[in-house]
Amino acid sequence: MVCCAVAMCKNTSTKISKNKDGITFHRFPRDPDRRCLWEIAVNRENEWSASAFSAVCSEHFDIKDFYITEGGLRRLSIDAIPSINISACQIPKPTFSNLPIDVKPSDSDEVMKLKFKVNRLEIIAENRKRRLQMMWQGRRRLKKKLERMKRIIKHLIRYKEDKLSGNK
């Protein structure tokens, strides 16, 4: 059983289903600096430190902290730090599992589930669009780098030919 390490959170893997509730659990980073940031963020008592099995549920991460892999898996970005709904003093913010959806009293359970799925798919589409833009930007950078390398190689070839012709 996995329990959320955030002090006020009661989410556990026995009560929560990823498919039904949309909540996932994420282990603390192995990098000591990032691990320390997470330990501070979860708002536990001073002497507490994360174990190898400590995890934080997705309710405490911003929607922008997630990305979708090519295989369709939702992953946490490397620079994500738990920041939402950490303490009782904080005003609750919408998370991945409780995004605001236009629900009407006349909507059936099936309609509400479909609205939730559409909302999640819109977020996934937005994340993929952002990743695609980043890939195109990376492609442009690589093209520029390739052109620079070609110029350097041409310059080196000319330099070598000039040096060889000067020695003869």
Side-chain angles (χ1 to χ4, degrees), residues 24-38:
T24 52
F25 291 90
H26 305 276
R27 297 221 185 270
F28 276 68
R30 290 188 184 129
D31 174 42
D33 295 331
R34 287 188 44 241
R35 185 181 199 89
C36 183
L37 290 172
W38 277 42

Side-chain angles (χ1 to χ4, degrees), residues 24-75:
T24 52
F25 291 90
H26 305 276
R27 297 221 185 270
F28 276 68
R30 290 188 184 129
D31 174 42
D33 295 331
R34 287 188 44 241
R35 185 181 199 89
C36 183
L37 290 172
W38 277 42
E39 287 174 350
I40 292 167
V42 295
N43 200 26
R44 297 290 289 252
E45 52 276 355
N46 292 339
E47 299 300 316
W48 184 85
S49 66
S51 71
F53 306 103
S54 296
V56 176
C57 72
S58 56
E59 292 286 282
H60 306 291
F61 294 97
D62 193 275
I63 294 168
K64 294 175 183 132
D65 289 338
F66 293 97
Y67 67 93
I68 307 299
T69 64
E70 290 180 19
L73 296 173
R74 184 174 75 184
R75 296 275 186 213

Side-chain angles (χ1 to χ4, degrees), residues 2-13:
V2 180
C3 298
C4 183
V6 173
M8 303 299 284
C9 187
K10 304 289 185 232
N11 288 338
T12 65
S13 59

